């Protein structure tokens, strides 16, 4: 009986949850986002994120406001946060830091002057300082 | 009111002001279980429906940062509080009512071998599926727990899940043998003349001990879930949850002399090291080289191999070798099982130090990440009680530079305690048999020191948080 009750609760909660905002990334189809990292391959320590933003024709978008959040794949590590306001020729160079080796997710959320917003997520595998050669391939 | 005999405990939590009343109250356990039930349901709900980025999800943060850190803290300061508040036993209580009398748990399984297998399995699954990085899988672990506890209760007459299967329980049973509180009785005389023995049999409106422990004979926290059913059942209010001197249980010969029990303790100690090993660069190098040497294996099998060696073969081989050496050095003809069972429990403090250092590290670096995860959760549901933007800049509760010294300190304190217990166990046997001497101690002490230094070495390596995702690329 209790079991059914439990499943009922879960079912109700699941259907209520379809609308959860933080689950979805809004991917404005007409904005292209590319991410490159320096140094490459990435290692623990200071880094630069090179983010290129263009429209669907390839024309640079220079005035996007970017919110960047780097999370580790595992729970419990404080994310690395960064922002950027302007990118010459659509290229935004953002100082960043990989605080631990491992698998990272870099989430880039942006807003264009015309009010359109977009977001993209990239995964980046960061090597330790010592095992660059082991990891980089 | 019964008179107190000379054995009456000096400090008894069950008869302390207020808290004692709450604990002995008929619904006292529910008071702890209901909050944990809500937490478990939240883990299932957020794990299945929430953001799948582990650091943003309540399921992964609360299960792998908070549960693990706080459970160690509770074990160190009080005892097996998680089992006391275990939410998985709640639907089980209902199952018992529905099913009525089931059959008895098979005799052949009335030991810890299955528990060891399941503890091994959960550590393997954790590493292989990267449960820590997956809210969805974390939710399914919780669901599987509810289902298993319910099904076993519906099928069997007693409570086999806690005693013979549950990996969380096995972990807590071993760890709680160093905890400062233990079930005992206030007056042995009262038990001697007691006819009902409700503490184990159950009475009119209270259950007896589901783990089949008999309060006046309890000398160990092993197998005790701190459910306090015994205290509620006793018609003479004679059960105590008493403070005890640190390490007393391990220094006395309080455990049954059984292979399975002693081996569970060593597996638990080995897992404290292998679990930390799972996060440092050498494990990835080892996986890679094993894959080149043994190309017919895949990632899962390589990991299974590494874990079978580290968590099962190594403790078995090292434990048996130390027992054999220890016996040979004093030319004793004692059965190996007795030697093994005498010294293996002494490794619990060392294992505790390493588990505490490891889980404490994650708790110290990530305790506050629960705040933005909760903000995120509330905002998703249109509740702006904690602000309208998650504060992702929250995380650590201790400066990063403190952590390695603290980890070393916990490991060394654990080692010291293990050496003390080894020495005391050895002293007892030397004084009772002329054959023994300090020599019998040497292999065990060497093993403890080697394990402690292996742990410290692991803690000095840079940690990496790698998931199956990158391994699958
Ligand atoms: S029911 Fe109470 S008095 Fe009787 S044996 Fe158990 S603890 Fe002792
Ligand atoms: S002795 Fe048994 S009934 Fe008493 S707290 Fe421990 S597990 Fe529960
Ligand atoms: Cu770790």
């Amino acid at each position: 009986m209790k079991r059914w009750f439990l499943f009922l609760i879960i079912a109700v909660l699941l259907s209520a949850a379809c609308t959860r905002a933080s689950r979805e990334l809004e991917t404005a189809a007409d904005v292209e986002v590319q991410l490159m990292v320096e140094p490459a391959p990435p290692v623990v320590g200071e880094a630069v994120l090179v983010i290129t933003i263009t429209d669907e024709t390839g024309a640079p978008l220079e005035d996007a406001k970017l919110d960047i959040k780097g999370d580790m794949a595992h729970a419990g590590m404080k994310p690395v946060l960064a922002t950027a306001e302007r990118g010459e020729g659509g290229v935004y160079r953002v100082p960043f830091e990989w605080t631990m080796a491992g698998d990272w997710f870099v989430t880039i959320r942006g807003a264009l002057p015309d009010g359109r917003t977009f977001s993209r997520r990239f995964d980046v595998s960061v090597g330790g300082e010592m095992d660059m050669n082991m990891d980089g391939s | 009111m019964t008179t107190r005999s000379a054995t009456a405990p000096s400090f008894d939590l069950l008869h302390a002001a207020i808290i004692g009343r709450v604990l002995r109250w008929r619904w006292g356990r529910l008071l702890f279980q209901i909050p944990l039930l809500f937490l478990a349901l939240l883990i299932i709900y957020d794990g299945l429906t929430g953001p799948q980025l582990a650091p943003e999800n309540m399921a992964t943060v609360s299960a792998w940062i908070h549960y693990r850190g706080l459970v160690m803290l509770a074990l160190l300061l009080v005892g097996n509080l998680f089992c006391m508040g275990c939410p998985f036993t709640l639907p089980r209580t209902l199952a018992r009512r529905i099913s009525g009398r089931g059959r008895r748990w098979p005799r052949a399984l009335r030991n810890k071998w299955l528990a060891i297998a399941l503890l091994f399995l959960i550590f393997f699954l954790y590493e292989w599926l990267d449960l820590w990085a997956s809210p969805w899988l974390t939710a399914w672990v919780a669901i599987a727990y509810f289902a298993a506890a319910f099904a076993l209760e519906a099928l069997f007459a007693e409570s086999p899940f806690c005693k013979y299967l549950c990996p969380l329980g096995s972990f807590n049973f071993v760890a709680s043998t160093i905890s400062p509180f233990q079930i005992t009785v206030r007056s042995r005389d009262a038990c001697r003349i007691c006819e009902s023995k409700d503490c184990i049999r159950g009475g009119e409106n209270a259950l007896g001990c589901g783990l089949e422990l008999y309060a006046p004979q309890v000398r160990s926290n092993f197998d005790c879930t701190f459910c306090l059913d015994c205290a509620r059942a006793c018609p003479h209010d004679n059960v105590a949850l008493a403070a005890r001197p640190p390490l007393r249980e391990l220094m006395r010969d309080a455990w049954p002399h059984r292979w399975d029990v002693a081996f569970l303790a060593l597996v638990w100690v080995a897992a404290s090291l292998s679990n930390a090993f799972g996060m440092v660069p050498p494990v990835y190098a080892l996986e890679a080289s094993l894959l080149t040497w043994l190309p017919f294996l895949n990632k899962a099998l390589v990991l299974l191999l590494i874990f079978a060696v580290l968590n099962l073969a190594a403790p078995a081989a090292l434990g048996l070798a130390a027992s054999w050496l220890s016996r040979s050095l004093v030319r004793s003809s004692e059965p190996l099982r007795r030697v093994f069972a005498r010294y293996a429990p002494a490794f619990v403090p060392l294992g505790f130090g390493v588990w505490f250092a490891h889980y404490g590290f994650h708790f110290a670096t990530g305790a506050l990440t629960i705040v933005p995860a909760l903000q995120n959760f509330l905002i998703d549901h249109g509740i702006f009680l904690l602000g309208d933007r998650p504060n992702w800049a929250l995380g650590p509760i201790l400066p990063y530079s403190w952590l390695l010294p603290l980890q070393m300190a916990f490991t060394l304190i654990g080692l010291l305690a293990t050496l003390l217990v080894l020495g005391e166990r050895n002293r007892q046997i030397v004084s009772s048999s002329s054959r023994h001497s300090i020599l019998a101690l040497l292999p065990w002490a060497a093993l403890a020191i080697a394990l402690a230094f292996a742990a410290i070495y692991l803690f000095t390596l840079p940690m990496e948080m790698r998931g199956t995702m990158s391994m699958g690329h």
Side-chain angles (χ1 to χ4, degrees), chain B residues 29 173 183-184 199-200 207-215 218 220-232 239 241:
Chain B
R29 194 181 187 195
F173 290 157
I183 286 289
T184 184
C199 60
I200 184 160
L207 297 167
C209 178
L211 286 291
E212 305 183 311
L213 302 176
Y214 178 44
V218 169
S220 159
N221 273 342
F222 212 99
D223 279 357
C224 177
T225 59
F226 271 45
C227 67
L228 305 181
D229 282 343
C230 51
R232 289 178 205 110
V239 175
L241 187 57

Side-chain angles (χ1 to χ4, degrees), chain B residues 232-384:
Chain B
R232 289 178 205 110
C234 173
H236 311 288
D237 189 17
N238 193 30
V239 175
L241 187 57
R244 54 182 194 175
L247 304 181
R248 186 183 67 176
E249 158 170 0
L250 296 171
M251 286 191 173
R252 291 181 178 182
D253 192 14
W255 294 18
H257 301 153
R258 279 174 21 202
W259 283 115
D260 56 335
V261 173
F263 189 54
L264 173 57
L266 280 193
V267 168
W268 179 83
V269 175
S272 73
L273 284 131
S274 70
N275 198 260
F277 180 63
M279 306 193 63
V280 290
V283 79
Y284 305 109
L286 180 62
E287 280 167 21
S289 49
L290 280 177
L291 273 175
T292 22
W293 293 342
L294 309 167
F296 48 94
L297 293 183
N298 59 24
K299 298 265 182 196
L301 289 174
V302 161
L303 208 57
L304 188 63
L305 182 68
I306 296 176
F307 269 59
V309 169
L310 291 180
N311 285 348
L312 299 176
L318 292 172
L320 286 175
S323 307
W324 182 82
L325 256 179
S326 168
R327 199 177 64 169
S328 312
L329 283 170
V330 294
R331 299 209 181 77
S332 142
S333 56
E334 235 187 333
L336 268 192
R337 174 177 57 80
R338 285 199 78 98
V339 186
F340 192 77
R342 176 179 312 122
Y343 296 102
F347 284 74
V348 173
L350 174 59
F352 197 97
V354 177
W355 280 118
F356 196 87
H358 184 192
Y359 287 176
F361 174 93
H362 292 304
F363 189 70
T365 49
L368 296 182
T369 60
I370 194 79
V371 175
L374 179 62
Q375 288 172 319
N376 198 37
F377 178 86
L378 293 177
I379 293 164
D380 265 4
H381 293 83
I383 303 165
F384 298 96

Side-chain angles (χ1 to χ4, degrees), chain B residues 9-83:
Chain B
S10 52
F11 179 71
D12 171 7
L13 213 52
L14 290 183
H15 295 86
I18 307 170
I19 178 81
R21 269 176 185 281
V22 173
L23 288 173
R24 280 177 299 149
W25 181 43
R26 184 150 188 242
W27 305 109
R29 194 181 187 195
L30 265 184
L31 227 53
F32 293 85
Q33 285 176 308
I34 285 174
L36 283 177
L37 178 69
F38 273 108
L39 189 69
L41 293 177
L42 182 66
I43 284 179
I44 293 174
Y45 170 63
D46 205 27
L48 295 180
T49 70
Q52 287 305 301
L53 198 56
E56 292 185 350
N57 194 296
M58 297 287 289
T60 26
V61 178
S62 62
W64 305 112
I65 304 302
H66 292 77
Y67 168 78
R68 296 196 303 184
L70 294 174
V71 100
M72 295 309 297
L73 205 60
L75 284 160
L76 182 70
L77 299 179
V78 188
N80 193 352
L81 295 187
F82 177 75
C83 288

